[in-house]
Amino acid sequence: MDNSTNCRLGHRARVRGQFLREGIAQWDAYRVLELLLFYCIPRRDVKPLAHQLIQTFGSLGGVLQASPEALHDVSGLGDYAAGRLCAILPLARAALEATPVQRYDTSTRVGALLRSLYRERRANGQQEDTLLLLFDSSLSLLGIKSLTRGGITAQGFQPRLLTELAYERSAAAVLVSRYSTSPILVPTAEELAVLREIHILFNTVGLDFLDYVLINGDNYAFVAHKMVDTLTLHQKKERLIYDDAGGDPEGNPGARRMR
Amino acid sequence: MTQGEILKAILALGGCGESLEETADLLLQRFGSLGAVMDAPPAMLAAFGVNESAAVLLRLLPEVARYEAKEGIRPRTAVHDAEDMARLFCQVCHGCRKEELWLMCLDENLRLLSLEQVAGGTVSAIPVVNRDIIGRVLACGAHYVAMAHTHPGGLAEASDMDCVVTRELSRCLDALSVPLLEHFVIAGDTYQPILLFHTPQDFYGQVDPESFYSTELRQKARLHMAPAADGEDAGVPDAGADAVNRRL
């Protein structure tokens, strides 16, 4: 590989890096087109071509909607490159229209939702006892992940894991639940310590830790909201997540339900 | 096209040749949806065998579609009323996955001078710097402005902080004789005009509500305001002293 090829590959990596850092909203059309041409013409300086195409067709949309023949006539693009360039806009529109995230029905209150989830998993022979529920900023459920057995105090569990999973789904808030073998739904001192650690971490990175739910059979208890000294929920979210009345059929003061 | 087909096509275009089908299936299984795959950082995708070029393309393509949609809005487009504004904002905000703040500057005849994104945030918050916004308004010589920010969660409902920031900006802009006509919360194809829905009528005195807002919008706003009608400025907390940098 000669120096000029190295230089071009370096340029392409730089442009891609620049895109990842700043996006294309403020870019000129020819720069966006140059980046797209990287995917159509493997090894060539495509900047002059990008300028020429924008000048001819007037805009990025104009270039991307041009026929392969028109692209060939104007710039001498071959069938392969023109075909790839023409495929970009339909693919981009399809990608934009694709459901951004899979959302679950959260009209079910969270206690009932967790009960049915655990029941279903156990019926399917799944033994995971700890689940992570990921929500967006309007508290729509984005996804459910299984965590290690033993809840947040299990060996090997790290708050970093929760953060990574939340980032993966672009979640704004998370809730963790653990299936308790004991009918007494009270968190251990160790769990409370980890909850505080998670709360501090999430505050720092801009995530909401909604609650930690202990569940046994049909009973469940929300743990975190009781720790008012360190774990206070945003008032509006509290209104969205929990019932006004609070309390479960067993009289557990910590159990409230999602709207 | 299904999500899997779109993903495979993008990976192929990005030069991710080996075991394409397997990689696409694995990614959808791991991340749950195409949207989540496109939002994932390239380093995270690399663990699944996605090369840097394809990872960049995954993030680039939706932005290209949005860029092209914005290009379609011609300068000097006439904006007659709140619905026209909302339609333009919805067009440029379509498909966004993070909170974004957009500013529309208009001339004295309500023709479009500029429509640009002035801030980008996270999935649940966006930093607002009044000084930046004022700077852009002055730079393009606007006579009127309108703003919009997105709620990617899908709920077009202004928060208390949205109302506080709107009121502050409106006051700043009034002092510069550049009225803020409206500030919309955009969620997908739905929107809520904050000034109409969350402020007393005398506050949005820059426009004639009868002609600027449709009857349907005004009825919705009346219903929305009804529970808090007795108190002045109901539902809008007072702005604090540290009002320069806020998060919507």
Side-chain angles (χ1 to χ4, degrees), chain A residues 147-148 151-165 194 197-198 201-202:
Chain A
L147 298 177
T148 49
I152 57 172
T153 54
Q155 197 175 13
F157 176 85
Q158 289 180 341
R160 178 184 168 140
L161 175 68
L162 293 190
T163 316
E164 280 177 354
L165 292 170
V194 177
E197 196 186 330
I198 292 171
L201 171 69
F202 275 29

Side-chain angles (χ1 to χ4, degrees), chain A residues 27 39 61 84 97 100 169, chain B residues 13 30-31 35 53 67 71 94:
Chain A
W27 284 18
Y39 294 93
R84 285 173 82 90
E97 292 303 326
R169 287 287 179 99
Chain B
L13 191 61
R30 179 74 171 87
F31 291 92
S53 167
Y67 191 100
E71 264 187 345
H94 183 65

Side-chain angles (χ1 to χ4, degrees), chain B residues 5 10-11 15 19 43 86 106 132 142 194 196 207 226 233:
Chain B
E5 287 166 345
I10 297 175
L11 292 176
S19 55
L106 301 156
D132 283 357
I194 296 178
L196 178 66
V207 291
D233 299 356

Side-chain angles (χ1 to χ4, degrees), chain A residues 118 121-122 127-133 144-154 157 162 176-179 212-213:
Chain A
Y118 279 106
R121 281 167 179 267
R122 280 169 186 270
Q127 293 301 313
E128 311 97 329
D129 63 355
T130 308
L131 296 177
L132 170 70
L133 277 62
I144 300 162
K145 296 266 185 188
S146 296
L147 298 177
T148 49
R149 288 178 64 82
I152 57 172
T153 54
F157 176 85
L162 293 190
V176 181
S177 68
R178 175 171 73 80
Y179 198 89
Y212 184 58
V213 186

Side-chain angles (χ1 to χ4, degrees), chain A residues 19 24 26-29 39 60-61 65 84 92-93 95 97-98 100-103 136-138 145 168-170, chain B residues 13 30-36 38-39 44 53 56-57 60-61 63 65 67-68 71 94 117 123-124 152-153:
Chain A
F19 158 67
I24 55 170
Q26 307 299 329
W27 284 18
D28 290 330
Y39 294 93
L60 179 69
Q65 289 176 77
R84 285 173 82 90
R93 285 177 176 160
E97 292 303 326
V101 281
Q102 185 185 357
R103 287 191 161 78
D136 68 14
S137 54
S138 60
K145 296 266 185 188
E168 262 181 27
R169 287 287 179 99
S170 295
Chain B
L13 191 61
R30 179 74 171 87
F31 291 92
S33 69
L34 177 60
M38 291 191 292
D39 286 343
M44 205 177 265
S53 167
V56 168
L57 190 63
L60 174 63
L61 284 185
E63 287 208 36
Y67 191 100
E68 190 262 339
E71 264 187 345
H94 183 65
Q117 187 187 333
V123 288
S124 59

Side-chain angles (χ1 to χ4, degrees), chain A residues 196-217:
Chain A
R196 287 197 176 88
E197 196 186 330
I198 292 171
H199 178 65
I200 291 166
L201 171 69
F202 275 29
N203 261 354
T204 314
V205 299
L207 284 165
D208 279 342
F209 185 72
L210 294 176
D211 220 316
Y212 184 58
V213 186
L214 296 174
I215 183 162
N216 174 268

